[in-house]
């Protein structure tokens, strides 16, 4: 059974870094079977995070074929993947677009993560676009079965992992310019 993802926009009062409060609307993704279930699930999920009142301003079906969390990543990116098929009747190439949501720290890493998830693909494809998504968090559906409990824990562990901060590597190598090379010789 394929997943149906609903994008739910939640409006609430948020406290910023300076201690001031402002009203903000943020999109979240919920895996559900219907709009009604999506509304119920987003209410349940947001009640755990927001202590004050909040309002669901919009629910719509999201156009994502797959969702892929990655370890040590904190933002969500939308990757457009064009699957290329050869139409034997007309003799032309036909492209079919699909969108995946991948977790990464920047656009380059999102592109690399998209290539990673497409590694087992037998057909040809291109990745014409990768852009940062406004999605704040993703809430997949799990029925509570024992087999799915492990899957839920793995998904949440990947989603919650913090990015590794690697120190910038200093380059100590010296290169000789062509002009300097000629004067040396």
């Amino acid at each position: 059974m394929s997943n149906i993802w609903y994008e739910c926009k939640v409006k609430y009062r948020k406290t910023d870094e300076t201690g001031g409060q402002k009203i903000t609307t943020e999109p979240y993704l919920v895996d559900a079977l219907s709009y009604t279930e999506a509304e119920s699930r987003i209410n349940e999920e947001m009640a755990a995070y927001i202590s004050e009142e909040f309002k669901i301003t919009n629910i719509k079906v999201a156009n994502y074929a797959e969702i892929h969390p990655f370890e040590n990543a904190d933002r969500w990116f939308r990757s457009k993947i064009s699957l290329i098929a050869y139409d034997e009747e007309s003799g032309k190439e036909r492209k079919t677009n699909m969108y995946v949501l991948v977790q990464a720290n920047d656009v380059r890493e999102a592109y690399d993560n998209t290539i990673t998830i497409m590694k087992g693909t037998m057909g040809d494809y291109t990745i014409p676009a990768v852009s940062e998504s406004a999605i704040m968090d993703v809430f997949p559906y799990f029925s509570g079965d024992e087999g799915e409990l492990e899957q839920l824990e793995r998904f949440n562990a990947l989603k919650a992992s913090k990015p590794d901060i690697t120190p910038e590597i200093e380059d100590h190598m010296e290169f000789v310019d062509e002009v300097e090379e000629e004067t040396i010789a």
Side-chain angles (χ1 to χ4, degrees), residues 143-156:
S143 65
D145 293 343
E146 249 181 65
E148 287 190 357
L149 188 59
E150 183 180 312
Q151 186 181 3
L152 172 65
E153 288 172 357
R154 189 171 61 244
F155 185 91
N156 284 335

Side-chain angles (χ1 to χ4, degrees), residues 1 4 12 15 37-38 48 55 75 85 91-92 95 107 109 121 125 138 153 156 159 168 173 178 183:
M1 184 174 174
I4 300 174
Y12 65 98
T15 306
E37 183 184 0
K55 181 180 180 181
R75 295 184 294 180
K92 295 181 182 178
K95 289 185 179 180
V107 174
E109 187 179 337
T121 304
Y125 67 91
V138 175
E153 288 172 357
N156 284 335
K159 190 173 76 169
E168 193 168 314
M173 296 183 74
E178 285 182 27
T183 57

Side-chain angles (χ1 to χ4, degrees), residues 71-90:
E71 198 167 349
N72 298 324
D74 60 351
R75 295 184 294 180
W76 292 97
F77 291 82
R78 177 184 172 117
S79 294
K80 178 180 180 180
I81 300 171
S82 294
L83 303 171
I84 302 169
Y86 182 74
D87 188 4
E88 292 181 15
E89 291 179 18
S90 66

Side-chain angles (χ1 to χ4, degrees), residues 32-47:
L33 297 173
S34 66
Y35 285 94
T36 306
E37 183 184 0
E39 181 180 15
S40 172
R41 292 217 39 241
I42 195 65
N43 272 314
E44 181 182 312
E45 295 288 354
M46 296 313 294

